[in-house]
Amino acid sequence: MTTQQFGKNGWTPERIGSLVGKTYVITGANSGAGFEASRILLSKGAKVVMLNRNPSKSANAIEALKQSLGQHIDVRFIQVDLAVLESVRNAANELLNTTPIIDALICNGAIAQVAKQHLTVDGFESQLGINHFGHFLLCGLLFDRINEAKGRIVMVGSNAYKMGLKRIKFEDLNFDTKYTAWDSYAQSKLAQMMFGYELQRRIKAAGKNVEVQVCHPGASRTNLLMDTASTFNKMLWAVMSRVIAQSAEKGAWPEVMCATEQGLKPGTLYGPTKRANTVGPVDQNKLESIALDQDMAAKLWALSLDKTSLNWSL
């Protein structure tokens, strides 16, 4: 049984005080949970920098936020394609040149259930490339700036981490032998979460000032599957989401909590707590031991440094 940290009603945005003077960077922020997280943070007076792939959708998202919250809000957009490492480097460089303080980086952007194997320009299976390698490189490039602010990194994982093969398939990362949409997605989210917990351990050992938290949104009504899943899975989710899923706004609560709440614990997974952690009050979830496998995480860290050509001495 998991420990309740926030009582029977769980964490809610009402716990957030003023965020005036704070700057939050969010990947995949023009729709879904990322958009709702932006809205909540902006409503508390924070500045938000969206890292999105699509400029027109980003402009529409910003206009919608201004229509809702007022023209005075401080929100802007930097283009990044997490599937392209060079794009990640360019975005990080622009961010460092324009953003003196980063209080939190929320690694929210993701793709899921890619129906057929697709490789990125850097040669990665697309879900692993975007969900893990792209975010790994971004975190490494921005780490010193976040450390200067004594800020946070929030890894938005998924319950899928405990499904699929339940390991990193180092011998066949791209699933060239037998590709399935589910196994490859599960691997990508496991990798992302293992990276988060490994980063926690390395920061503690190095005495750095960055807090890392890992969460998941549960089952939320977003467009995560609409661009990538098979037609059958899209139709299935369209029906099921009306019955079992919560709103995108509630799906954003765990990542906003992890970016703002004091007293959160390391080695913990935060998210909805009802119906197998798909909906309900936000609090601690039971964390499967695979996510904390230190040997596998160390191997993944070394591999990620090599694949991204990143010099990160943490």
Side-chain angles (χ1 to χ4, degrees):
M1 190 172 181
T2 56
T3 303
Q4 283 190 339
Q5 193 171 341
F6 300 104
K8 68 176 183 178
N9 295 323
W11 184 92
T12 67
E14 282 71 27
R15 293 179 60 92
I16 306 173
S18 172
L19 297 178
V20 172
K22 300 284 189 180
T23 301
Y24 297 88
V25 177
I26 309 176
T27 64
N30 61 17
S31 65
F35 176 83
E36 295 298 337
S38 300
R39 187 184 59 77
I40 295 169
L41 295 168
L42 289 163
S43 74
K44 301 293 183 176
K47 300 176 182 178
V48 170
V49 183
M50 296 176 159
L51 297 188
N52 302 325
R53 184 175 60 87
N54 190 303
S56 62
K57 289 183 179 179
S58 299
N60 291 339
I62 289 173
E63 182 57 30
L65 288 168
K66 289 184 175 181
Q67 289 291 330
S68 173
L69 300 173
Q71 296 297 315
H72 65 281
I73 60 172
D74 193 336
V75 56
R76 58 191 173 91
F77 152 72
I78 292 176
Q79 186 174 18
V80 67
D81 186 344
L82 288 167
V84 181
L85 296 182
E86 188 60 28
S87 176
V88 175
R89 294 187 184 95
N90 291 340
N93 186 60
E94 182 176 347
L95 192 59
L96 292 172
N97 286 334
T98 59
T99 312
I101 298 174
I102 299 175
D103 291 286
L105 167 64
I106 303 177
C107 298
N108 167 83
I111 60 171
Q113 300 287 337
V114 177
K116 295 182 180 180
Q117 185 197 47
H118 176 75
L119 302 183
T120 70
V121 296
D122 300 291
F124 310 135
E125 187 279 315
S126 58
Q127 293 162 111
L128 187 64
I130 290 172
N131 300 348
H132 172 60
F133 285 127
H135 280 124
F136 179 90
L137 178 59
L138 185 66
C139 289
L141 294 172
L142 299 181
F143 184 81
D144 288 344
R145 183 62 50 86
I146 299 168
N147 186 62
E148 290 168 5
K150 298 182 179 180
R152 302 188 189 193
I153 293 173
V154 179
M155 210 61 62
V156 182
S158 165
N159 278 323
Y161 84 94
K162 57 188 176 183
M163 303 172 191
L165 302 181
K166 298 185 181 181
R167 69 182 182 91
I168 307 301
K169 197 176 181 185
F170 291 107
E171 75 280 11
D172 186 12
L173 282 174
N174 291 342
F175 289 85
D176 291 327
T177 302
K178 183 181 179 183
Y179 178 84
T180 73
W182 182 252
D183 287 347
S184 53
Y185 174 62
Q187 174 183 253
S188 75
K189 299 310 284 189
L190 174 60
Q192 194 175 11
M193 291 171 61
M194 290 184 83
F195 162 48
Y197 296 121
E198 177 69 5
L199 188 53
Q200 286 180 347
R201 292 187 287 267
R202 288 174 180 264
I203 286 169
K204 182 178 179 180
K208 297 294 184 179
N209 295 314
V210 178
E211 179 179 339
V212 180
Q213 295 296 339
V214 182
C215 65
H216 73 93
S220 305
R221 288 188 289 273
T222 70
N223 62 359
L224 180 61
L225 299 182
M226 289 302 100
D227 292 333
T228 55
S230 66
T231 301
F232 174 78
N233 281 341
K234 288 178 184 178
M235 294 173 63
L236 180 63
W237 177 244
V239 174
M240 289 180 62
S241 64
R242 297 174 186 173
V243 179
I244 66 169
Q246 61 190 1
S247 67
E249 179 186 4
K250 287 189 175 180
W253 287 6
E255 63 190 73
V256 175
M257 179 194 74
C258 286
T260 61
E261 181 71 30
Q262 300 301 314
L264 299 180
K265 303 173 183 179
T268 303
L269 176 63
Y270 291 97
T273 54
K274 300 295 184 182
R275 297 185 193 169
N277 303 136
T278 57
V279 296
V282 174
D283 214 313
Q284 298 180 48
N285 286 190
K286 180 183 178 181
L287 180 62
E288 300 291 331
S289 60
I290 182 59
L292 298 173
D293 186 316
Q294 295 190 32
D295 291 338
M296 193 177 299
K299 187 174 181 180
L300 176 65
W301 181 280
L303 175 74
S304 301
L305 289 176
D306 178 63
K307 293 292 188 181
T308 61
S309 300
L310 178 63
N311 181 19
W312 192 2
S313 58
L314 190 65

